[in-house]
Amino acid sequence: MSLKGRNAVVTGSTSGIGLAVARALAAEGVNLTMNGFGDAADIERTRAGIASASGVTVAYHPADMTKPAEIADLIATAGKTFGSVDILVNNAGIQHVAPVEDFPVDRWDAIIAINLSSAFHTIRAALPGMKQRGWGRLINIASTHGLVASPQKSAYVAAKHGIVGLTKSVAIECADTGVTCNAICPGWVLTPLVQKQIDARAAAAGISARQASDQLVGEKQPQLQFTTPEQIAGLALFLCSPTASNMQGSQLVSDGGWTAQ
Ligand code: NAD
């Protein structure tokens, strides 16, 4: 597989899964636009570290994924900087856990905006250029929660089911254009997003973080292991490879057996 010289945008790539995807693409010779929140000095260190380790050009754009105008600027700036956006990984995401009747309206709106609507805004901006050039890879980081539900996660489950639907619809529209659109559905991956849920569970039950982590994974996954960010990055690379060129609208699941039950 040669992705050398391709140009990618990875949303939410300052942490966790997005950062692993960014590193993996850069290691294959892909120029990157990173995005996401965090301490400015840390982000700059990470950006420069990836660039020097892989020899590609790495840019950073601070677009807030709740703001359509900033998202449009992210894709336009990446296009201007590198000449094209060939690979788009919609990864930015947040979580909030509460019963539906207590779910704060602002958290609902933020989750739908970041975990679902942002992918509509990036795709609509990036797709015309991909179609014109006859090659593109749209990869949406969904979740097992795009396929099945859990209690207290109404907004997240709605957004992730939504992004699986968006993936299928865009995939059909892309048929025979050289552009593919697919989703990756991870089970538990130990990132800051999940660490918060482990810490909340440990505090509520008065147990150690280790016990809370074992419970969290054990409740859902017969294979009692987290998927790693690097494994998800490997699936993203696979979707960019010629082997996956006939995959359209699929959901690649890595969840330790969660959704097989
Ligand atoms: P994370 O918290 O480590 O990373 C989230 C990233 O999104 C960060 O870079 C953050 O700055 C960015 N982000 C958040 N709000 C943003 C905004 N408004 N604008 C721009 N960037 C924003 O979490 P993660 O676990 O790596 O999650 C990445 C994706 O994977 C999410 O879509 C998540 O739903 C999905 N996912 C995670 C798991 C898991 O177990 N960790 C499982 C399935 C799916």
Side-chain angles (χ1 to χ4, degrees), residues 190 198 201 207-218 226:
L190 190 52
I198 292 170
R201 181 186 278 254
I207 55 178
S208 70
R210 180 56 201 258
Q211 287 169 314
S213 167
D214 288 349
Q215 278 182 10
L216 184 104
V217 177
F226 288 99

Side-chain angles (χ1 to χ4, degrees), residues 243-255:
T243 311
S245 68
N246 204 36
M247 294 181 68
Q248 275 291 20
S250 67
Q251 301 91 56
L252 276 185
V253 176
S254 175
D255 69 355

